[in-house]
Amino acid sequence: MQVKVKINGKEYQDDVEPRMLLVHFIREKARLTGTHIGCDTGNCGACTVLFNGRTIKSCLMLAVQANGAEIMTIEGLSTNGLHPIQDAFLEKFGFQCGYCTSGMILSAYVLLQSNPQPTDHEIREALEGNLCMCTGYQQIVESISYAATKMKEAGK
Amino acid sequence: MIPSKFDYYSPATLQEALSLLSEYGDDAKVLAGGQSLVSLLKLRLASPRCLVDLGSIGNLSYIHEDGADNLLIGAMTRYAEIAESKLIAEKCPLLRQTALVVGDVQVRNRGTLGGSLAHADPAGDMPAAILALKADLKATGPKRDRWIKSEDFFLGMYATALEANEILTEVRVPVLNDRQSAYLKAARRPSDFAMVGIAVCLKRAKNGTCEDVGLGVTGITDKPYRPQHVEAKLRGQKLDPAAIGAVAQSITEGIDVNGNIHASPEFRAHLAGVYLSRAIQAAIGS
Ligand SMILES: Cc1cc2nc3c(=O)[nH]c(=O)nc-3n(C[C@H](O)[C@H](O)[C@H](O)COP(=O)(O)OP(=O)(O)OC[C@H]3O[C@@H](n4cnc5c(N)ncnc54)[C@H](O)[C@@H]3O)c2cc1C
Ligand code: FES
Ligand code: FES
């Protein structure tokens, strides 16, 4: 079946089996491997991408369901050097193995769009669909809070 | 994990979707938000020959009033849309409150009201609210529409009154401006399924007694249910903590209470009573 999706502004078209998951399309067809597969059961959020502007878990969606959609992956965030949220994760030790990080950062990105100065509690709520096995959530929350401050200072 | 093979259709109209269901019969499954079904496909707990995606049918996602004191909500309306709707916040805050405690952000961005009801998870949150609101569900079949009362809709574990050739298309919720409501859920972690979830929709008389009440219970047994015997006991009551406490434990009367690693049947039955009391107090304070 023909699928055409825009990922990070670029159009990808391919003939896929209807049972192909969106996360496999992104990783194997578009070769954008920043989107990870963690649990593969919809629980961990490692496969989070933006689907028409909202976060979704791409392991819980078929590629054919995304036909005609606009998707943004972690690669789409750093078109012009690292995004301030990415810088903040580096500076504030927001990751260890990095497996969950692309999902974390995309969830944070959406949060900061609607709520540029979130409280720690709001950050934790926004990350409820993203699990981390190693960092401990404290540094992740601190990274996002720090990013919010930096972005405000930079007027972004 | 890769699902087994299926034919995929993304019809543009409800009519086409219905004819596919009639053609494939039990071999077809409707796909809504996919937040339950895609996992079932991957685990191969479901292996339909045909998947009918409702995602391209334009007119199944809406929230509006019908002019006769009802809210009409399209089956493909997503949790996030319910949570963000001003109309829902104003006319039916119980639905907003419930939508906000389903799963996590990503699940709420995809999961639909129709899917949550048709899936009939024994611990689903929306079914409890729909029961307490005494809402009606519209089943559209190849020949006609029929309305099903929420209390008649949930038949058992993942089983509903929908026929294989029917699609749940709309939910009709009475707008009750004089009501107070709350949904409270006990779960091990915030985004988990409910061990117990209690929805209350309450009308109090001028003197503070309970004039009318609707209750919805989830997480307890094989299906979400409406404990009408408890509603009857509450009607006319004063609704102080002692009076509520006196009827609260009867919420699991005659019910085969589930047990699992999260909660034994005894603990769950206890929680149900406690959460009923708390939900009524929360409704009164709302
Ligand atoms: C991580 C995670 C956490 C979750 N946590 C919760 C939670 O806390 N509380 C909760 O209630 N739920 C939870 N869910 C489940 C979620 O609510 C699902 O979205 C919901 O159960 C199904 O809705 P859907 O639109 O995704 O339907 P789908 O998954 O697409 O479909 C589910 C079933 O319903 C049928 N169906 C769907 N729509 C229709 C229709 N219109 N007419 C007829 N049949 C239809 C399908 O054929 C399928 O059998 C969670 C899911 C995940 C992945
Ligand atoms: S891989 Fe998709 S949620 Fe874990
Ligand atoms: S950094 Fe390892 S899982 Fe989060």
Side-chain angles (χ1 to χ4, degrees):
Chain A
M1 226 173 157
Q2 283 296 322
V3 176
K4 192 152 96 179
V5 282
K6 217 178 219 179
I7 308 180
N8 306 328
K10 186 174 160 203
E11 209 149 82
Y12 294 84
Q13 187 165 6
D14 219 313
D15 189 22
V16 304
E17 273 194 87
R19 60 177 171 165
M20 174 176 254
L21 297 166
L22 178 59
V23 68
H24 291 136
F25 186 92
I26 292 170
R27 290 177 54 84
E28 291 157 26
K29 297 289 182 186
R31 304 299 300 170
L32 294 166
T33 52
T35 304
H36 297 159
I37 302 173
C39 64
D40 205 6
T41 53
N43 289 291
C44 75
C47 63
T48 299
V49 299
L50 266 64
F51 178 84
N52 296 333
R54 287 180 183 265
T55 50
I56 61 137
K57 294 171 183 167
S58 59
C59 77
L60 283 188
M61 189 164 181
L62 303 170
V64 286
Q65 282 181 282
N67 193 25
E70 291 210 15
I71 287 167
M72 191 179 114
T73 67
I74 190 70
E75 291 89 345
L77 202 58
S78 48
T79 41
N80 200 356
L82 287 186
H83 186 277
I85 306 175
Q86 293 172 310
D87 278 329
F89 268 68
L90 273 172
E91 244 181 274
K92 292 284 167 189
F93 306 101
F95 57 91
Q96 282 184 25
C97 77
Y99 212 87
C100 68
T101 311
S102 34
M104 290 285 176
I105 289 180
L106 287 175
S107 286
Y109 173 73
V110 170
L111 169 70
L112 295 184
Q113 277 181 335
S114 62
N115 183 357
Q117 293 293 300
T119 62
D120 282 6
H121 182 72
E122 287 167 335
I123 294 174
R124 284 175 190 275
E125 294 230 302
L127 298 181
E128 65 182 332
N130 296 83
L131 305 183
C132 175
M133 294 178 292
C134 37
T135 309
Y137 296 94
Q138 193 55 38
Q139 289 96 314
I140 295 175
V141 174
E142 281 166 14
S143 303
I144 295 168
S145 194
Y146 181 72
T149 310
K150 284 277 171 191
M151 284 162 75
K152 191 179 171 202
E153 282 169 14
K156 283 195 185 171
Chain B
M1 291 179 292
I2 314 285
S4 52
K5 285 191 180 181
F6 50 77
D7 296 334
Y8 171 85
Y9 294 93
S10 184
T13 67
L14 192 56
Q15 254 48 50
E16 281 172 69
L18 289 165
S19 6
L20 283 163
L21 290 188
S22 294
E23 185 188 327
Y24 280 88
D26 284 342
D27 283 336
K29 271 239 168 250
V30 164
L31 175 63
Q35 299 304 289
S36 296
L37 184 53
V38 172
S39 281
L40 294 176
L41 294 172
K42 286 162 68 172
L43 296 164
R44 303 204 179 191
L45 292 170
S47 306
R49 209 151 55 80
C50 162
L51 219 52
V52 182
D53 186 354
L54 302 183
S56 299
I57 302 175
N59 52 357
L60 281 178
S61 175
Y62 53 84
I63 302 168
H64 55 70
E65 289 178 283
D66 70 350
D69 285 336
N70 293 299
L71 278 181
L72 302 179
I73 309 175
M76 285 296 284
T77 309
R78 303 191 195 268
Y79 295 118
E81 290 164 339
I82 290 176
E84 288 161 12
S85 157
K86 288 209 176 75
L87 193 58
I88 297 259
E90 186 193 336
K91 304 283 181 184
C92 193
L94 180 60
L95 283 180
R96 176 184 143 81
Q97 196 193 354
T98 309
L100 280 171
V101 296
V102 175
D104 51 47
V105 178
Q106 293 94 319
V107 170
R108 295 195 291 273
N109 281 340
R110 287 300 293 164
T112 67
L113 176 61
S116 75
L117 301 175
H119 188 55
D121 193 294
D125 295 305
M126 271 301 169
I130 289 301
L131 285 163
L133 291 164
K134 301 173 195 171
D136 297 311
L137 288 73
K138 183 156 111 185
T140 302
K143 297 216 172 64
R144 64 187 179 108
D145 291 340
R146 64 186 177 112
W147 285 96
I148 306 171
K149 285 193 170 126
S150 46
E151 70 203 61
D152 299 330
F153 187 76
F154 304 103
L155 300 184
M157 187 93 78
Y158 306 111
T160 70
L162 285 176
E163 301 289 343
N165 62 2
E166 285 179 326
I167 293 175
L168 175 60
T169 48
E170 188 173 87
V171 179
R172 183 173 65 199
V173 184
V175 173
L176 304 160
N177 291 319
D178 51 2
R179 303 288 154 133
Q180 295 174 297
S181 61
Y183 177 66
L184 285 193
K185 163 178 179 177
R188 288 289 177 198
R189 295 165 304 183
S191 57
D192 278 354
F193 274 96
M195 290 189 283
V196 168
I198 309 273
V200 175
C201 182
L202 183 68
K203 180 176 186 188
R204 282 196 299 159
K206 290 235 161 54
N207 64 6
T209 57
C210 168
E211 189 174 315
D212 192 21
V213 62
L215 300 174
V217 181
T218 193
I220 299 269
T221 186
D222 63 337
K223 61 179 184 197
Y225 67 97
R226 187 178 146 207
Q228 299 198 36
H229 62 289
V230 183
E231 294 175 3
K233 282 186 194 167
L234 283 167
R235 252 175 243 124
Q237 291 286 332
K238 263 206 318 202
L239 295 182
D240 55 29
I244 300 169
V247 299
Q249 277 308 325
S250 64
I251 193 159
T252 48
E253 220 170 69
I255 299 288
D256 187 12
V257 181
N258 281 338
N260 61 14
I261 53 161
H262 301 300
S264 65
E266 296 73 27
F267 178 49
R268 207 176 287 259
H270 168 76
L271 272 182
V274 172
Y275 271 72
L276 175 62
S277 299
R278 288 189 192 169
I280 294 174
Q281 314 277 9
I284 292 172
S286 70

